[in-house]
Amino acid sequence: MDVQKRILIINGVERAFVCNPEKDSLADVVRRLGLTGTKVGCGAGQCGSCSLLLDGKVVRACIKKMKSVPEYASVETIEGIGTAENLHPLQQAFITYGSVQCGFCSPGFIMSAKALLSENPNPSRQDVRDWFTKNMNICRCTGYKPIVDAVMAAAAVMRGEKTMDDITFKAPGDGRIYGTDYPKPLALTRVLGTADYGDDVALKMPHDALHLALVMPYVHHAEIKKIDFAEAEKMPGVVKVLTAADVKGSNRMLAPQGIVRKYADGKERPVLCDKKLFRYGDVVAVVAARTREEARAAAAAVKVDYKELPAYLNYVDATAPDAAEIHPGTPNCFVEQPLLKGENAGEIIDRAKYAVEGSFSSTREPHLPIEPDAVQAYPTEDGVTVLCKSQFLYGDIAFMADAIGLPKDKIRIAMNHAGGSFGYSMCAASYAIAAVCAMDLRVPVSLVMSYPEHQHFTGKRSPSYTNARLACDEKGKFIAMDYHTGIDHGAYSDFAGALTSKVCRFFGYPYQVPNIRGLVQTAFSNHNHGITYRAFGSPQAYTASEQLVDMLAEKIGMDPFELRYINVAQEGDLCTNSVPYRWYPMKSMMDTMRPHYEAALERAKKFGEPGKKRGVGLAWGGYHVGKSPDHSEIDIELNPDGSVTHYNTWQEVGQGGDIGAMVHAHEALRPLGLKPEQIHLVQNDTATCPDTGSSSGSRSHHVAGMATIDGANQLIAAMKKPDGTFRTYEEMKAEGIPTKYRGVYDSKWADLDPDTGHGWGAMGQNYCLYLAEVDVEVATGKVKVDRMTLVSDIGKVGSYQSVLGQAWGGFSHSLGFALTEDYDDVVKHATMAGAGVPKCNDVPDDMDVIFHESEHPDGPHGSTGCSESYQSSGHVAILNAIANATGARIYTLPAKP
């Protein structure tokens, strides 16, 4: 091995180390030195999370080999530019302007921006966006806008035009932080680079820890004949190769299907495949070795003898009459949910004077977090602890317990800091693999996937295939809708029942459509399995329904805004599920949007850029909040110093579990007059926190908020004296009054009827109306989204910073869904760039979110959840704008040139 002692000047200090210049990257070196603020995401120079400064120039350290780094070169990392007591202006601005969500990319952006400002102290917003695009700094959370805001603010401080105080949040005079831009409590750790994500924890494991590598045969469908790992076990550093024979439990994960028509038991997925491979990305064995490199080398040496079987890679092929059952004994079409409202919609459409129809399909959209999946586990005396980025800690325990052979109370899950998820980490498959290895080997283990491994292993948004029709009368009033959707859920049934029912709900939302006939059917295929993804189920429905509205407007010669205006629901109208909408802000929201729509039409009329056409598109969207029945718990405890601790499992994956818990607790405890710094958060460890439920379906703000109010009310009542003052901690103890209380919320709404689709099925609703303006290059068909305007109703906004981040970030995902993102070609789409992740200049800088703040009486502090609504239908506004510009209707996503 060609190793050398080298010296670099790192953050102004001479540092000596030993490396292999041919193999080691600059990122490897600085991370081995403990400077783990430099993150490695894609490992291929495509995401910029590893950006640092080398002799003053920004470089992507993960692809900068040490052989090309000069001796005594100057290296600057995030750890060298500021401290908690003395932040760099960029670090403070990133905190204040909401530029930090999951925070995995933040150090790379800050270092990249530092290099920009040293070259150009007074950049324009476009200069900043061009810089991040050129240097491949990718953010999947924020939509880029708040990052540009932060750079502009920091630049003003560095030029002397503003002070640090000017760009630091100040609470309003009344001290209330609910409904403000109060920053994320965890933002400081992100901008300092001190947050330990999965790969950072892997570097800080005990000396006896083992590293895991997955054996993936990379075949879509096959019968396993033999696994030969004899040579692999002899390789350097290898301790053991584990297979299904080493799994102590049933080796079958649990995937509950919910209340739908279902023909699968949800137990078809093995932890480690034993008899068959069901999809590209299945795992047959795991190598445990002293180093990650040794484990990977041995994994490549494992030989798998298999007999290839016919592979059905989409819904159409998998549901063909002659298709063999992918899971023997279970039909490939394994879930159904009909929806029936009013009279026979099909016959009404057949007789209608005005009707349109179309066949629409959507893609297997990848989540594309910047951080690939990373898990650690270690054995306890009679159980196991798993460290990961689960979005459903207690649920994932239930999903894996029987499979790995442990009672649920012997499994502890605690979160690492999470570098984004967007839903994929609801799946417990990698946690189960790590747990199995830790239990068998009796030592701590770490599994960190490469980005291609992450792409192949983790679930995706399920593709959809829809035939749909919509009809109206002579005045443009909708009279009937008819649809049939097939969902390709891939190899496994994770959350398939919930997905099926959710797709059903959003055809015709939030309109008054008196007659609907719908059927959603979900099938297994041999492609990547479907999993939860923000807006779960609604994008597939809106892809069809909101395009049909524009098609119908064109057919009857009516403006698409006016057609929507006369059909949105009004007080008393029934929603798609034959129950009233929770509230009816729709017309008022359209009144708010009207001047923006008219201005957009005027801009399109005046648009005269040679070789391009401008289009304007609308789309209604929104989502149901959570599920029913639902249950959530938190604990509130008074501390000796008068502060309060809030215990919960509001899983923080960047969306704001930290700030959400903070603002709810502060608002609910207002009678005590606490300052925000007197509220301490203990989150996301099943050893210390109760079950708050999953961070999914826009439920957490609603249910955790209601549970927090309940717990806070109990504590306040216990502290209150007859004279109206409050007991101290010492007085509580002296009187034998408990200082810790459990807050509980149970939703009271029934689930959907599996035969008709009638019912609430959720505790709340939210609404959003998108307006997109796009430019289309005539010669190539290339689309540029120029502006986005969104009118949103989620009740009273709890944290503007967090909610705006969800809106901007959600739209960036919607833009990718519309134009570039896919995981269909498992080779081409294995990388972040290959799968079509949007760069800074792909997402518009002009994104205007307008809050229509009505009081939501069923939710906490007049509010409800929001996240799913912000990725529900933005993509269809883009598709409608393309059609408006060109006359070409896009039926199949993505809309590539």
Side-chain angles (χ1 to χ4, degrees):
M1 180 182 291
D2 180 22
V3 297
Q4 298 177 7
K5 178 186 176 184
R6 298 288 302 277
I7 295 175
L8 294 174
I9 310 302
I10 301 180
N11 296 327
V13 179
E14 191 174 293
R15 300 290 300 269
F17 54 90
V18 175
C19 70
N20 183 324
E22 294 289 332
K23 293 183 178 180
D24 285 336
S25 70
L26 181 55
D28 293 330
V29 166
V30 297
R31 287 177 60 78
R32 280 208 300 265
L33 290 171
L35 301 173
T36 52
T38 299
K39 308 301 180 186
V40 176
C42 65
Q46 297 178 357
C47 75
S49 62
C50 63
S51 297
L52 48 69
L53 304 189
L54 178 62
D55 289 330
K57 303 295 184 183
V58 63
V59 298
R60 281 163 272 159
C62 76
I63 55 171
K64 185 69 174 177
K65 292 299 182 185
M66 285 304 300
K67 65 182 180 181
S68 65
V69 178
E71 190 85 347
Y72 291 99
S74 174
V75 174
E76 194 170 8
T77 72
I78 190 71
E79 291 89 350
I81 72 168
T83 66
E85 294 77 24
N86 186 26
L87 293 172
H88 188 281
L90 281 163
Q91 292 171 312
Q92 181 61 64
F94 267 61
I95 293 173
T96 304
Y97 289 85
S99 315
V100 177
Q101 285 191 32
C102 82
F104 191 83
C105 70
S106 298
F109 268 97
I110 290 171
M111 297 310 297
S112 183
K114 188 173 186 291
L116 164 64
L117 296 182
S118 69
E119 290 186 15
N120 180 4
N122 192 16
S124 67
R125 292 184 69 88
Q126 190 57 52
D127 289 337
V128 176
R129 299 179 73 84
D130 290 342
W131 179 269
F132 287 144
T133 300
K134 178 182 73 173
N135 287 290
M136 293 296 290
N137 289 107
I138 302 296
C139 179
R140 193 63 170 155
C141 294
T142 66
Y144 299 105
K145 178 181 172 69
I147 294 176
V148 180
D149 293 342
V151 175
M152 298 300 288
V157 172
M158 295 169 71
R159 292 193 303 269
E161 297 166 9
K162 289 185 177 181
T163 67
M164 288 288 278
D165 190 59
D166 291 333
I167 65 166
T168 301
F169 174 82
K170 299 170 190 65
D174 63 0
R176 176 174 268 124
I177 63 171
Y178 197 90
T180 71
D181 279 315
Y182 190 84
K184 283 173 65 72
L186 289 173
L188 181 63
T189 67
R190 273 63 172 159
V191 301
L192 291 172
T194 59
D196 287 322
Y197 298 83
D199 194 21
D200 305 327
V201 174
L203 289 175
K204 298 161 187 175
M205 299 279 279
H207 290 300
D208 63 343
L210 297 176
H211 295 267
L212 308 178
L214 305 178
V215 178
M216 297 181 182
Y218 293 131
V219 62
H220 286 290
H221 197 197
E223 176 187 323
I224 300 170
K225 299 174 73 175
K226 183 182 179 182
I227 304 171
D228 181 0
F229 51 84
E231 290 302 316
E233 280 200 317
K234 297 175 186 176
M235 293 178 68
V238 175
V239 174
K240 185 173 181 179
V241 178
L242 297 94
T243 67
D246 297 297
V247 180
K248 304 294 190 293
S250 68
N251 193 33
R252 291 297 184 272
M253 304 288 290
L254 173 64
Q257 296 304 300
I259 302 176
V260 287
R261 293 182 176 185
K262 51 187 177 288
Y263 312 105
D265 62 7
K267 296 181 180 180
E268 73 287 329
R269 180 171 192 166
V271 178
L272 297 175
C273 291
D274 46 7
K275 299 175 183 177
K276 280 180 66 176
L277 295 159
F278 298 99
R279 53 135 196 173
Y280 196 98
D282 268 348
V283 179
V284 297
V286 185
V287 176
R290 297 296 174 191
T291 70
R292 193 181 303 173
E293 294 71 22
E294 290 170 335
R296 287 187 175 280
V302 175
K303 299 180 178 68
V304 182
D305 184 15
Y306 57 82
K307 176 186 177 184
E308 201 156 353
L309 300 172
Y312 308 114
L313 300 182
N314 57 60
Y315 174 90
V316 176
D317 291 345
T319 57
D322 60 346
E325 290 179 343
I326 291 168
H327 297 285
T330 301
N332 289 348
C333 187
F334 68 100
V335 180
E336 296 180 326
Q337 175 66 62
L339 190 140
L340 302 169
K341 180 185 178 186
E343 303 300 322
N344 191 317
E347 292 181 2
I348 292 171
I349 294 173
D350 289 342
R351 299 193 303 266
K353 182 176 181 181
Y354 298 109
V356 290
E357 63 181 51
S359 294
F360 308 86
S361 63
S362 64
T363 55
R364 197 178 308 277
E365 185 185 15
H367 301 66
L368 298 176
I370 309 300
E371 179 199 28
D373 206 43
V375 188
Q376 287 78 40
Y378 56 88
T380 57
E381 186 176 345
D382 57 355
V384 69
T385 293
V386 179
L387 310 177
C388 58
K389 58 174 172 179
S390 167
Q391 283 183 241
F392 193 5
L393 272 67
Y394 281 91
D396 283 330
I397 288 174
F399 300 157
M400 65 193 263
D402 183 66
I404 67 174
L406 279 179
K408 287 185 282 188
D409 63 357
K410 301 301 181 185
I411 304 172
R412 172 189 176 194
I413 298 184
M415 283 190 74
N416 291 328
H417 290 296
S421 170
F422 316 109
Y424 94 83
S425 64
M426 290 278 284
C427 177
S430 60
Y431 320 149
I433 288 174
V436 162
C437 295
M439 291 164 59
D440 184 89
L441 298 164
R442 304 307 300 170
V443 295
V445 299
S446 176
L447 170 62
V448 178
M449 297 185 193
S450 68
Y451 211 88
E453 286 171 340
H454 167 92
Q455 279 290 85
H456 302 319
F457 182 85
T458 59
K460 306 292 180 278
R461 190 186 299 284
S462 297
S464 63
Y465 301 82
T466 298
N467 295 324
R469 301 189 293 168
L470 177 65
C472 68
D473 62 18
E474 291 81 0
K475 296 180 179 179
K477 290 287 287 183
F478 296 155
I479 55 175
M481 177 175 277
D482 188 16
Y483 64 87
H484 178 204
T485 295
I487 299 292
D488 175 357
H489 207 58
Y492 302 120
S493 64
D494 302 61
F495 301 99
L499 172 64
T500 308
S501 65
K502 287 180 183 295
V503 173
C504 253
R505 297 179 187 189
F506 296 104
F507 279 89
Y509 184 99
Y511 301 107
Q512 159 64 352
V513 185
N515 305 291
I516 305 176
R517 179 180 67 176
L519 176 64
V520 179
Q521 296 178 297
T522 298
F524 290 120
S525 75
N526 292 118
H527 216 306
N528 203 313
H529 69 289
I531 191 63
T532 49
Y533 190 168
R534 182 165 51 188
F536 192 47
S538 66
Q540 292 95 325
Y542 289 125
T543 297
S545 65
E546 277 300 294
Q547 291 205 82
L548 287 174
V549 175
D550 266 38
M551 292 161 65
L552 192 57
E554 183 180 1
K555 183 161 190 174
I556 66 176
M558 183 180 286
D559 182 278
F561 185 98
E562 298 304 330
L563 183 61
R564 286 175 171 84
Y565 193 78
I566 66 173
N567 282 291
V568 290
Q570 301 182 67
E571 195 74 38
D573 288 342
L574 300 184
C575 76
T576 54
N577 306 112
S578 297
V579 293
Y581 288 94
R582 288 295 167 76
W583 36 84
Y584 295 83
M586 299 78 149
K587 273 225 152 119
S588 179
M589 290 172 67
M590 292 200 74
D591 289 336
T592 300
M593 178 66 88
R594 185 182 291 277
H596 299 276
Y597 176 70
E598 291 172 349
L601 292 180
E602 194 61 30
R603 282 190 291 271
K605 193 182 298 182
K606 294 178 179 178
F607 184 77
E609 196 170 330
K612 293 184 178 180
K613 291 186 176 183
R614 168 67 62 90
V616 177
L618 290 161
W620 262 109
Y623 205 73
H624 293 284
V625 176
K627 59 189 177 68
S628 277
D630 204 338
H631 177 81
S632 185
E633 300 176 359
I634 61 91
D635 285 340
I636 293 267
E637 182 174 30
L638 179 67
N639 301 318
D641 64 357
S643 65
V644 169
T645 301
H646 188 329
Y647 301 86
N648 63 80
T649 51
W650 187 342
Q651 291 90 178
E652 161 57 15
V653 287
Q655 86 289 11
D658 58 339
I659 185 61
M662 173 66 78
V663 299
H664 272 312
H666 187 263
E667 186 71 7
L669 294 167
R670 287 271 290 168
L672 301 182
L674 298 176
K675 296 178 180 178
E677 53 269 27
Q678 291 178 285
I679 298 173
H680 309 298
L681 300 179
V682 175
Q683 294 187 285
N684 303 323
D685 184 340
T686 61
T688 56
C689 304
D691 185 3
T692 313
S694 65
S695 292
S696 66
S698 297
R699 66 177 289 282
S700 295
H701 179 89
H702 192 116
V703 299
M706 296 297 284
T708 299
I709 291 170
D710 179 51
N713 287 344
Q714 293 178 59
L715 176 61
I716 290 168
M719 293 176 66
K720 200 162 194 177
K721 297 178 182 178
D723 65 0
T725 62
F726 294 100
R727 295 176 175 89
T728 64
Y729 176 87
E730 290 76 15
E731 289 172 328
M732 298 274 282
K733 286 294 186 181
E735 296 182 44
I737 301 173
T739 57
K740 189 174 184 178
Y741 293 87
R742 176 150 296 181
V744 177
Y745 172 73
D746 285 293
S747 70
K748 58 190 177 183
W749 315 101
D751 211 334
L752 297 188
D753 185 296
D755 295 320
T756 64
H758 293 180
W760 294 107
M763 67 203 74
Q765 292 171 323
N766 49 46
Y767 309 95
C768 60
L769 176 60
Y770 278 96
L771 170 66
E773 299 174 61
V774 308
D775 301 337
V776 183
E777 200 170 79
V778 175
T780 65
K782 184 178 179 181
V783 175
K784 172 74 172 177
V785 181
D786 185 64
R787 292 179 186 228
M788 183 277 291
T789 305
L790 168 65
V791 178
S792 165
D793 191 309
I794 57 168
K796 300 297 182 183
V797 177
S799 165
Y800 280 96
Q801 189 184 96
S802 181
V803 171
L804 282 168
Q806 289 297 288
W808 292 326
F811 184 72
S812 73
H813 284 239
S814 293
L815 182 149
F817 188 46
L819 302 178
T820 59
E821 292 173 21
D822 202 359
Y823 179 81
D824 183 57
D825 183 329
V826 294
V827 176
K828 179 181 178 182
H829 299 144
T831 66
M832 195 175 295
V837 68
K839 298 184 282 293
C840 192
N841 269 339
D842 296 326
V843 182
D845 193 50
D846 194 341
M847 293 195 285
D848 187 15
V849 179
I850 303 164
F851 292 109
H852 181 274
E853 294 197 64
S854 57
E855 186 81 22
H856 286 207
D858 297 323
H861 312 302
S863 60
T864 193
C866 73
S867 181
E868 261 63 30
S869 66
Y870 295 138
Q871 204 170 329
S872 60
S873 62
H875 67 293
V876 195
I878 295 170
L879 301 180
N880 284 337
I882 294 171
N884 177 253
T886 66
R889 174 64 55 186
I890 304 297
Y891 295 93
T892 301
L893 296 181
K896 294 185 176 180

